Short mmCIF file of all heavy atoms in Angstrom, two decimals:
data_model
loop_
_atom_site.label_atom_id
_atom_site.label_comp_id
_atom_site.label_asym_id
_atom_site.label_seq_id
_atom_site.Cartn_x
_atom_site.Cartn_y
_atom_site.Cartn_z
N GLY A 37 0.57 10.50 -0.11
CA GLY A 37 1.72 11.02 0.62
C GLY A 37 2.37 9.84 1.31
O GLY A 37 1.69 8.91 1.76
N LYS A 38 3.70 9.85 1.37
CA LYS A 38 4.44 8.66 1.83
C LYS A 38 4.00 8.19 3.21
O LYS A 38 3.82 7.00 3.44
CB LYS A 38 5.94 8.95 1.80
CG LYS A 38 6.50 9.13 0.40
CD LYS A 38 7.99 9.42 0.42
CE LYS A 38 8.80 8.21 0.81
NZ LYS A 38 8.71 7.12 -0.17
N GLY A 39 3.84 9.12 4.15
CA GLY A 39 3.47 8.70 5.50
C GLY A 39 2.10 8.07 5.58
O GLY A 39 1.88 7.13 6.37
N LEU A 40 1.15 8.55 4.78
CA LEU A 40 -0.18 7.94 4.77
C LEU A 40 -0.13 6.55 4.14
O LEU A 40 -0.85 5.64 4.56
CB LEU A 40 -1.18 8.83 4.03
CG LEU A 40 -1.54 10.14 4.73
CD1 LEU A 40 -2.59 10.90 3.93
CD2 LEU A 40 -2.03 9.90 6.15
N ASN A 41 0.72 6.38 3.12
CA ASN A 41 0.90 5.04 2.55
C ASN A 41 1.45 4.08 3.59
O ASN A 41 0.99 2.94 3.73
CB ASN A 41 1.85 5.10 1.35
CG ASN A 41 1.31 5.92 0.21
OD1 ASN A 41 0.12 6.15 0.10
ND2 ASN A 41 2.20 6.37 -0.67
N VAL A 42 2.45 4.54 4.35
CA VAL A 42 3.03 3.72 5.42
C VAL A 42 1.97 3.37 6.46
O VAL A 42 1.86 2.22 6.91
CB VAL A 42 4.21 4.47 6.08
CG1 VAL A 42 4.69 3.72 7.32
CG2 VAL A 42 5.37 4.64 5.09
N ALA A 43 1.16 4.36 6.83
CA ALA A 43 0.13 4.15 7.85
C ALA A 43 -0.87 3.10 7.42
O ALA A 43 -1.29 2.25 8.23
CB ALA A 43 -0.58 5.47 8.16
N ARG A 44 -1.28 3.12 6.15
CA ARG A 44 -2.26 2.14 5.67
C ARG A 44 -1.70 0.73 5.76
O ARG A 44 -2.40 -0.21 6.15
CB ARG A 44 -2.65 2.44 4.22
CG ARG A 44 -3.72 3.46 4.04
CD ARG A 44 -4.41 3.33 2.69
NE ARG A 44 -3.44 3.20 1.61
CZ ARG A 44 -2.86 4.22 0.98
NH1 ARG A 44 -3.11 5.45 1.38
NH2 ARG A 44 -2.02 4.02 -0.01
N VAL A 45 -0.43 0.56 5.40
CA VAL A 45 0.17 -0.78 5.46
C VAL A 45 0.29 -1.24 6.91
O VAL A 45 -0.03 -2.39 7.24
CB VAL A 45 1.53 -0.80 4.76
CG1 VAL A 45 2.21 -2.16 4.92
CG2 VAL A 45 1.38 -0.46 3.27
N LEU A 46 0.73 -0.35 7.78
CA LEU A 46 0.85 -0.71 9.20
C LEU A 46 -0.50 -1.12 9.78
O LEU A 46 -0.59 -2.10 10.53
CB LEU A 46 1.41 0.47 9.99
CG LEU A 46 2.91 0.73 9.85
CD1 LEU A 46 3.27 2.09 10.44
CD2 LEU A 46 3.73 -0.37 10.50
N ALA A 47 -1.55 -0.39 9.44
CA ALA A 47 -2.89 -0.73 9.93
C ALA A 47 -3.33 -2.09 9.40
O ALA A 47 -3.93 -2.89 10.13
CB ALA A 47 -3.88 0.36 9.53
N ALA A 48 -3.01 -2.36 8.12
CA ALA A 48 -3.37 -3.66 7.54
C ALA A 48 -2.62 -4.80 8.23
O ALA A 48 -3.12 -5.93 8.30
CB ALA A 48 -3.06 -3.67 6.05
N LEU A 49 -1.43 -4.50 8.77
CA LEU A 49 -0.66 -5.51 9.50
C LEU A 49 -1.16 -5.69 10.94
O LEU A 49 -0.66 -6.56 11.66
CB LEU A 49 0.83 -5.13 9.52
CG LEU A 49 1.57 -5.19 8.19
CD1 LEU A 49 2.96 -4.58 8.32
CD2 LEU A 49 1.67 -6.63 7.69
N GLY A 50 -2.10 -4.85 11.34
CA GLY A 50 -2.68 -4.99 12.68
C GLY A 50 -2.14 -4.04 13.72
O GLY A 50 -2.48 -4.15 14.90
N HIS A 51 -1.35 -3.06 13.31
CA HIS A 51 -0.80 -2.09 14.26
C HIS A 51 -1.75 -0.90 14.42
O HIS A 51 -2.31 -0.41 13.43
CB HIS A 51 0.56 -1.57 13.78
CG HIS A 51 1.63 -2.61 13.77
ND1 HIS A 51 2.30 -3.01 14.91
CD2 HIS A 51 2.17 -3.33 12.75
CE1 HIS A 51 3.19 -3.93 14.60
NE2 HIS A 51 3.13 -4.15 13.30
N GLU A 52 -1.91 -0.44 15.66
CA GLU A 52 -2.64 0.80 15.89
C GLU A 52 -1.80 1.94 15.30
O GLU A 52 -0.63 2.11 15.65
CB GLU A 52 -2.86 1.02 17.38
CG GLU A 52 -3.62 2.31 17.68
CD GLU A 52 -3.68 2.62 19.17
OE1 GLU A 52 -3.17 1.81 19.98
OE2 GLU A 52 -4.24 3.68 19.52
N THR A 53 -2.40 2.72 14.41
CA THR A 53 -1.64 3.71 13.66
C THR A 53 -2.36 5.05 13.66
O THR A 53 -3.58 5.11 13.47
CB THR A 53 -1.43 3.25 12.20
OG1 THR A 53 -0.93 1.92 12.20
CG2 THR A 53 -0.43 4.14 11.48
N VAL A 54 -1.60 6.11 13.86
CA VAL A 54 -2.12 7.47 13.86
C VAL A 54 -1.37 8.26 12.79
O VAL A 54 -0.14 8.19 12.70
CB VAL A 54 -1.95 8.14 15.24
CG1 VAL A 54 -2.35 9.61 15.18
CG2 VAL A 54 -2.75 7.40 16.30
N ALA A 55 -2.10 9.01 11.98
CA ALA A 55 -1.50 9.82 10.92
C ALA A 55 -1.68 11.29 11.22
O ALA A 55 -2.79 11.75 11.51
CB ALA A 55 -2.13 9.48 9.57
N THR A 56 -0.56 12.04 11.16
CA THR A 56 -0.64 13.48 11.29
C THR A 56 0.11 14.13 10.15
O THR A 56 0.77 13.46 9.35
CB THR A 56 -0.13 13.96 12.66
OG1 THR A 56 -0.45 15.35 12.83
CG2 THR A 56 1.37 13.75 12.82
N GLY A 57 -0.01 15.45 10.07
CA GLY A 57 0.53 16.20 8.95
C GLY A 57 -0.44 17.33 8.67
O GLY A 57 -1.09 17.84 9.58
N PHE A 58 -0.57 17.72 7.40
CA PHE A 58 -1.44 18.83 7.04
C PHE A 58 -2.48 18.39 6.01
O PHE A 58 -2.21 17.54 5.16
CB PHE A 58 -0.63 19.98 6.44
CG PHE A 58 0.31 20.63 7.41
CD1 PHE A 58 1.69 20.49 7.28
CD2 PHE A 58 -0.17 21.40 8.45
CE1 PHE A 58 2.56 21.10 8.17
CE2 PHE A 58 0.69 22.03 9.35
CZ PHE A 58 2.06 21.86 9.20
N ALA A 59 -3.65 19.01 6.06
CA ALA A 59 -4.69 18.81 5.04
C ALA A 59 -5.56 20.06 5.02
O ALA A 59 -5.86 20.64 6.06
CB ALA A 59 -5.54 17.58 5.34
N GLY A 60 -5.95 20.48 3.80
CA GLY A 60 -6.76 21.68 3.70
C GLY A 60 -7.53 21.76 2.41
O GLY A 60 -7.24 21.06 1.44
N GLY A 61 -8.54 22.61 2.38
CA GLY A 61 -9.33 22.85 1.19
C GLY A 61 -10.21 21.67 0.82
O GLY A 61 -10.37 20.71 1.57
N ALA A 62 -10.79 21.75 -0.39
CA ALA A 62 -11.69 20.70 -0.86
C ALA A 62 -10.97 19.38 -1.04
O ALA A 62 -11.50 18.32 -0.70
CB ALA A 62 -12.35 21.14 -2.16
N THR A 63 -9.73 19.42 -1.56
CA THR A 63 -8.99 18.16 -1.73
C THR A 63 -8.61 17.57 -0.39
O THR A 63 -8.63 16.35 -0.22
CB THR A 63 -7.73 18.38 -2.59
OG1 THR A 63 -7.00 19.52 -2.10
CG2 THR A 63 -8.09 18.59 -4.05
N GLY A 64 -8.31 18.44 0.58
CA GLY A 64 -8.02 17.93 1.92
C GLY A 64 -9.23 17.27 2.54
O GLY A 64 -9.11 16.24 3.23
N ALA A 65 -10.41 17.83 2.31
CA ALA A 65 -11.64 17.23 2.84
C ALA A 65 -11.89 15.87 2.19
O ALA A 65 -12.29 14.91 2.88
CB ALA A 65 -12.82 18.16 2.59
N MET A 66 -11.66 15.77 0.89
CA MET A 66 -11.81 14.47 0.21
C MET A 66 -10.82 13.46 0.76
O MET A 66 -11.16 12.30 0.99
CB MET A 66 -11.62 14.65 -1.29
CG MET A 66 -12.72 15.42 -1.99
SD MET A 66 -12.40 15.65 -3.75
CE MET A 66 -12.47 13.92 -4.30
N LEU A 67 -9.58 13.90 0.97
CA LEU A 67 -8.57 13.00 1.53
C LEU A 67 -9.01 12.47 2.89
O LEU A 67 -8.91 11.27 3.16
CB LEU A 67 -7.24 13.75 1.64
CG LEU A 67 -6.02 13.00 2.18
CD1 LEU A 67 -4.73 13.59 1.60
CD2 LEU A 67 -5.94 13.05 3.70
N ARG A 68 -9.54 13.35 3.73
CA ARG A 68 -9.92 12.93 5.07
C ARG A 68 -11.13 12.00 5.03
O ARG A 68 -11.24 11.08 5.85
CB ARG A 68 -10.19 14.16 5.94
CG ARG A 68 -8.97 15.03 6.10
CD ARG A 68 -9.19 16.22 6.98
NE ARG A 68 -8.88 15.90 8.36
CZ ARG A 68 -8.48 16.79 9.27
NH1 ARG A 68 -8.36 18.06 8.93
NH2 ARG A 68 -8.22 16.43 10.51
N ASP A 69 -12.05 12.22 4.09
CA ASP A 69 -13.18 11.31 3.93
C ASP A 69 -12.69 9.91 3.56
O ASP A 69 -13.19 8.90 4.07
CB ASP A 69 -14.13 11.82 2.86
CG ASP A 69 -14.96 13.01 3.33
OD1 ASP A 69 -15.01 13.26 4.55
OD2 ASP A 69 -15.53 13.70 2.47
N LEU A 70 -11.71 9.85 2.66
CA LEU A 70 -11.16 8.55 2.25
C LEU A 70 -10.39 7.90 3.39
O LEU A 70 -10.45 6.68 3.58
CB LEU A 70 -10.25 8.73 1.03
CG LEU A 70 -10.94 9.15 -0.28
CD1 LEU A 70 -9.91 9.60 -1.29
CD2 LEU A 70 -11.77 8.00 -0.82
N LEU A 71 -9.67 8.71 4.16
CA LEU A 71 -8.91 8.18 5.29
C LEU A 71 -9.83 7.62 6.36
O LEU A 71 -9.50 6.64 7.04
CB LEU A 71 -8.01 9.28 5.87
CG LEU A 71 -6.97 8.86 6.91
CD1 LEU A 71 -5.98 7.87 6.33
CD2 LEU A 71 -6.25 10.09 7.45
N ALA A 72 -11.01 8.22 6.51
CA ALA A 72 -11.98 7.77 7.52
C ALA A 72 -12.47 6.36 7.25
O ALA A 72 -12.95 5.68 8.17
CB ALA A 72 -13.16 8.73 7.59
N ALA A 73 -12.35 5.91 6.01
CA ALA A 73 -12.78 4.55 5.67
C ALA A 73 -11.72 3.50 5.98
O ALA A 73 -11.94 2.31 5.75
CB ALA A 73 -13.16 4.48 4.19
N THR A 74 -10.57 3.93 6.51
CA THR A 74 -9.47 3.01 6.86
C THR A 74 -9.35 2.94 8.39
O THR A 74 -9.93 3.75 9.11
CB THR A 74 -8.14 3.51 6.27
OG1 THR A 74 -7.65 4.62 7.05
CG2 THR A 74 -8.30 3.93 4.82
N PRO A 75 -8.57 1.99 8.90
CA PRO A 75 -8.38 1.91 10.36
C PRO A 75 -7.43 2.97 10.91
O PRO A 75 -7.23 3.04 12.13
CB PRO A 75 -7.78 0.51 10.56
CG PRO A 75 -7.94 -0.21 9.27
CD PRO A 75 -7.98 0.83 8.21
N VAL A 76 -6.83 3.79 10.05
CA VAL A 76 -5.86 4.80 10.49
C VAL A 76 -6.58 5.97 11.16
O VAL A 76 -7.57 6.50 10.62
CB VAL A 76 -5.04 5.32 9.29
CG1 VAL A 76 -4.07 6.41 9.73
CG2 VAL A 76 -4.29 4.17 8.62
N ARG A 77 -6.10 6.38 12.33
CA ARG A 77 -6.70 7.50 13.04
C ARG A 77 -6.20 8.82 12.46
O ARG A 77 -5.00 9.04 12.32
CB ARG A 77 -6.39 7.43 14.53
CG ARG A 77 -7.23 8.39 15.38
CD ARG A 77 -6.99 8.15 16.85
NE ARG A 77 -6.13 9.18 17.43
CZ ARG A 77 -5.29 8.98 18.42
NH1 ARG A 77 -5.14 7.77 18.94
NH2 ARG A 77 -4.55 9.97 18.90
N ASP A 78 -7.13 9.70 12.15
CA ASP A 78 -6.83 10.99 11.53
C ASP A 78 -6.52 12.03 12.60
O ASP A 78 -7.38 12.40 13.39
CB ASP A 78 -8.03 11.42 10.68
CG ASP A 78 -7.87 12.79 10.04
OD1 ASP A 78 -6.85 13.47 10.27
OD2 ASP A 78 -8.79 13.19 9.29
N GLU A 79 -5.25 12.51 12.60
CA GLU A 79 -4.86 13.62 13.47
C GLU A 79 -4.19 14.70 12.62
O GLU A 79 -3.26 15.37 13.06
CB GLU A 79 -3.91 13.13 14.57
CG GLU A 79 -4.57 12.27 15.63
CD GLU A 79 -5.51 13.05 16.55
OE1 GLU A 79 -5.51 14.31 16.48
OE2 GLU A 79 -6.23 12.41 17.34
N LEU A 80 -4.68 14.87 11.38
CA LEU A 80 -4.13 15.87 10.48
C LEU A 80 -4.51 17.27 10.96
O LEU A 80 -5.59 17.48 11.53
CB LEU A 80 -4.64 15.65 9.06
CG LEU A 80 -4.22 14.33 8.40
CD1 LEU A 80 -5.02 14.10 7.13
CD2 LEU A 80 -2.72 14.31 8.12
N VAL A 81 -3.62 18.22 10.72
CA VAL A 81 -3.83 19.62 11.11
C VAL A 81 -4.35 20.39 9.89
O VAL A 81 -3.79 20.28 8.80
CB VAL A 81 -2.52 20.24 11.62
CG1 VAL A 81 -2.68 21.73 11.89
CG2 VAL A 81 -2.06 19.51 12.89
N THR A 82 -5.41 21.15 10.08
CA THR A 82 -6.06 21.86 8.97
C THR A 82 -5.24 23.08 8.54
O THR A 82 -4.73 23.83 9.38
CB THR A 82 -7.47 22.31 9.37
OG1 THR A 82 -8.24 21.16 9.74
CG2 THR A 82 -8.16 23.03 8.23
N THR A 83 -5.12 23.26 7.22
CA THR A 83 -4.43 24.41 6.65
C THR A 83 -5.39 25.25 5.82
O THR A 83 -6.43 24.76 5.35
CB THR A 83 -3.27 23.98 5.74
OG1 THR A 83 -3.80 23.22 4.63
CG2 THR A 83 -2.27 23.13 6.50
N ALA A 84 -5.05 26.52 5.63
CA ALA A 84 -5.86 27.38 4.79
C ALA A 84 -5.71 27.01 3.31
O ALA A 84 -6.67 27.04 2.55
CB ALA A 84 -5.48 28.85 5.00
N GLY A 85 -4.49 26.63 2.91
CA GLY A 85 -4.24 26.26 1.53
C GLY A 85 -4.74 24.86 1.24
O GLY A 85 -4.79 24.00 2.13
N PRO A 86 -5.12 24.60 -0.03
CA PRO A 86 -5.66 23.28 -0.38
C PRO A 86 -4.57 22.22 -0.50
O PRO A 86 -3.46 22.51 -1.00
CB PRO A 86 -6.34 23.52 -1.73
CG PRO A 86 -5.58 24.66 -2.33
CD PRO A 86 -5.17 25.54 -1.17
N THR A 87 -4.88 21.03 -0.06
CA THR A 87 -4.00 19.88 -0.24
C THR A 87 -3.73 19.66 -1.73
O THR A 87 -4.61 19.85 -2.57
CB THR A 87 -4.66 18.63 0.38
OG1 THR A 87 -4.76 18.83 1.79
CG2 THR A 87 -3.86 17.37 0.10
N ARG A 88 -2.53 19.25 -2.05
CA ARG A 88 -2.15 19.02 -3.44
C ARG A 88 -2.80 17.75 -3.99
O ARG A 88 -3.33 16.92 -3.23
CB ARG A 88 -0.62 18.89 -3.57
CG ARG A 88 -0.08 17.65 -2.86
CD ARG A 88 1.43 17.61 -2.91
NE ARG A 88 1.91 16.44 -2.17
CZ ARG A 88 2.86 15.62 -2.61
NH1 ARG A 88 3.45 15.84 -3.77
NH2 ARG A 88 3.24 14.59 -1.87
N ARG A 89 -2.71 17.58 -5.29
CA ARG A 89 -3.11 16.35 -5.96
C ARG A 89 -1.90 15.75 -6.65
O ARG A 89 -1.01 16.47 -7.10
CB ARG A 89 -4.19 16.63 -7.00
CG ARG A 89 -5.51 17.11 -6.42
CD ARG A 89 -6.36 17.80 -7.45
NE ARG A 89 -5.69 19.01 -7.94
CZ ARG A 89 -6.24 19.88 -8.78
NH1 ARG A 89 -7.47 19.67 -9.22
NH2 ARG A 89 -5.59 20.94 -9.19
N THR A 90 -1.86 14.44 -6.70
CA THR A 90 -0.88 13.75 -7.54
C THR A 90 -1.67 12.90 -8.54
O THR A 90 -2.66 12.27 -8.17
CB THR A 90 0.07 12.86 -6.73
OG1 THR A 90 -0.67 11.79 -6.14
CG2 THR A 90 0.77 13.65 -5.64
N VAL A 91 -1.25 12.93 -9.76
CA VAL A 91 -1.94 12.21 -10.82
C VAL A 91 -0.99 11.18 -11.43
O VAL A 91 0.10 11.53 -11.90
CB VAL A 91 -2.44 13.17 -11.92
CG1 VAL A 91 -3.15 12.39 -13.03
CG2 VAL A 91 -3.37 14.22 -11.33
#
Side-chain angles (χ1 to χ4, degrees):
K38 293 180 72 64
L40 291 183
N41 296 339
V42 172
R44 276 202 313 274
V45 176
L46 284 168
L49 292 171
H51 293 281
E52 180 187 358
T53 310
V54 174
T56 190
F58 294 111
T63 49
M66 291 178 65
L67 181 152
R68 298 182 90 154
D69 286 344
L70 292 167
L71 189 61
T74 76
V76 177
R77 192 173 104 212
D78 177 357
E79 289 289 350
L80 297 168
V81 174
T82 301
T83 62
T87 295
R88 66 184 178 135
R89 294 160 297 185
T90 66
V91 179

